[in-house]
Amino acid sequence: MPEIKLEHVTKRWAKFYAVEDLNLTIENNAFVTLLGPSGCGKTTTLRMIAGLETPTSGRITIGDKVVFDSDLGINVPANKRKVGFLFQNYALFPNMTVLQNVTYALRFQPALKARAKDIALDILEKVGLTEFLNKKPAQLSGGQQQRVAIARTLALSPDIVLFDEPMSALDAANRVALRREIKDIQKKFGITMIYITHDQEEAFSMSDRVMVMETGTIAQIGTPQEVYHHPANAYVENFVTRHLEEKISSIRQSADI
């Protein structure tokens, strides 16, 4: 799976900088989380990697292929980047079964069309959804629907999978279960995943590396242990460590009652 590199990437609307001079390298097969509050630039960063948003300037490389370079006029379209994108709302077809949802996109790939059903069945087995093949999205829980969306993305064999706050609509129990499932899927498929969230606990429990963002820039990037035990500045300490300490304290108090 390819390394991802962003070099001096900026996204500006008029005088507003959503992302400013961002430099980032994501290693092969890594699970990296972009963590930060609303408006810090994490979704814009994800969309630029996917090709859904055009940077104002900079360079993005996926593997040995330059997919964007403002100086050279290169901007590879999203459907040529082999990047899967998981949206918050799952985007499943309500009138289709689980199997039909996963095979749908495969039918538009000439090289995969003949094997669409077999590919879908194999992926659904690997993510533990075989028993739901003939059910429609309304008959599934929120966590199961998200797994169908993941299966549909993986069926197209992307090099990278991007997650845009995929658990925002789930309750606490489903979020915890899906965290484990996503991490298991990442290990099973050996695929690079980039995940964005504003939830500190979610980021720390899933990630190989956490990138904390502040107003379009990187405040700190490191392992969960490095970020938690050695925050780079007051912003990181405030946003990350204090929040987690408050949450742990709250859990302990609840257990004592």
Side-chain angles (χ1 to χ4, degrees), residues 106-176:
L106 292 166
R107 297 183 186 280
F108 295 94
Q109 303 289 326
L112 302 176
K113 185 176 180 180
R115 299 185 294 117
K117 185 175 180 180
D118 290 338
I119 293 170
L121 288 171
D122 179 57
I123 293 290
L124 287 166
E125 181 182 2
K126 287 178 178 175
V127 300
L129 288 170
T130 303
E131 64 185 289
F132 304 107
L133 292 180
N134 298 312
K135 291 188 179 293
K136 293 185 177 178
Q139 297 173 288
L140 305 176
S141 68
Q144 289 164 346
Q145 289 181 46
Q146 185 58 272
R147 282 159 62 198
V148 175
I150 294 170
R152 182 182 57 191
T153 299
L154 292 173
L156 293 169
S157 299
D159 290 332
I160 307 157
V161 178
L162 311 178
F163 293 86
D164 184 6
E165 304 222 34
M167 302 190 204
S168 58
L170 303 180
D171 59 34
N174 270 318
R175 284 201 301 272
V176 171

Side-chain angles (χ1 to χ4, degrees), residues 34-38 40 42 165 197-199 211-213 235 239:
L34 278 57
L35 174 66
S38 297
C40 71
K42 55 189 187 295
E165 304 222 34
T197 184
H198 62 273
D199 187 300
M211 186 175 100
V212 184
M213 292 193 71
Y235 169 81
F239 185 74

Side-chain angles (χ1 to χ4, degrees), residues 1-254:
M1 296 300 168
E3 179 180 79
I4 305 159
K5 186 176 288 187
L6 282 70
E7 300 172 82
H8 303 292
V9 171
T10 293
K11 178 61 182 180
R12 186 183 73 245
W13 286 284
K15 295 182 179 180
F16 172 71
Y17 285 82
V19 173
E20 186 173 4
D21 196 31
L22 192 69
N23 292 284
L24 172 66
T25 297
I26 296 173
E27 294 83 4
N28 298 347
N29 305 331
F31 193 113
V32 175
T33 295
L34 278 57
L35 174 66
S38 297
C40 71
K42 55 189 187 295
T43 295
T44 300
T45 300
L46 208 69
R47 290 176 62 84
M48 289 191 293
I49 293 170
L52 301 174
E53 195 74 64
T54 302
T56 305
S57 60
R59 178 184 174 99
I60 300 174
T61 307
I62 298 177
D64 59 359
K65 184 176 183 179
V66 177
V67 296
F68 178 83
D69 191 307
S70 56
D71 293 333
L72 299 177
I74 297 171
N75 189 14
V76 176
N79 64 348
K80 301 293 184 182
R81 294 193 184 192
K82 291 205 75 179
V83 173
F85 201 110
L86 270 293
F87 297 95
Q88 294 178 12
N89 62 356
Y90 317 141
L92 300 177
F93 295 106
N95 60 323
M96 292 185 183
T97 65
V98 167
L99 181 59
Q100 289 169 337
N101 264 283
V102 176
T103 58
Y104 181 79
L106 292 166
R107 297 183 186 280
F108 295 94
Q109 303 289 326
L112 302 176
K113 185 176 180 180
R115 299 185 294 117
K117 185 175 180 180
D118 290 338
I119 293 170
L121 288 171
D122 179 57
I123 293 290
L124 287 166
E125 181 182 2
K126 287 178 178 175
V127 300
L129 288 170
T130 303
E131 64 185 289
F132 304 107
L133 292 180
N134 298 312
K135 291 188 179 293
K136 293 185 177 178
Q139 297 173 288
L140 305 176
S141 68
Q144 289 164 346
Q145 289 181 46
Q146 185 58 272
R147 282 159 62 198
V148 175
I150 294 170
R152 182 182 57 191
T153 299
L154 292 173
L156 293 169
S157 299
D159 290 332
I160 307 157
V161 178
L162 311 178
F163 293 86
D164 184 6
E165 304 222 34
M167 302 190 204
S168 58
L170 303 180
D171 59 34
N174 270 318
R175 284 201 301 272
V176 171
L178 193 56
R179 283 178 205 165
R180 290 193 295 267
E181 289 167 5
I182 289 174
K183 190 64 180 172
D184 287 345
I185 288 168
Q186 190 244 347
K187 289 179 179 178
K188 184 179 291 185
F189 284 83
I191 195 167
T192 302
M193 290 186 174
I194 308 175
Y195 189 99
I196 68 171
T197 184
H198 62 273
D199 187 300
Q200 294 87 339
E201 184 181 4
E202 200 169 278
F204 276 56
S205 65
M206 299 175 69
S207 311
D208 300 319
R209 296 170 75 212
V210 176
M211 186 175 100
V212 184
M213 292 193 71
E214 179 186 13
T215 58
T217 61
I218 300 173
Q220 185 173 0
I221 185 165
T223 66
Q225 294 81 6
E226 288 168 347
V227 175
Y228 181 80
H229 292 292
H230 305 286
N233 52 40
Y235 169 81
V236 176
E237 182 178 12
N238 219 22
F239 185 74
V240 175
T241 62
R242 291 184 185 177
H243 171 89
L244 287 173
E245 286 167 0
E246 288 170 5
K247 193 159 191 176
I248 291 168
S249 176
S250 175
I251 292 169
R252 285 174 176 165
Q253 288 174 10
S254 298

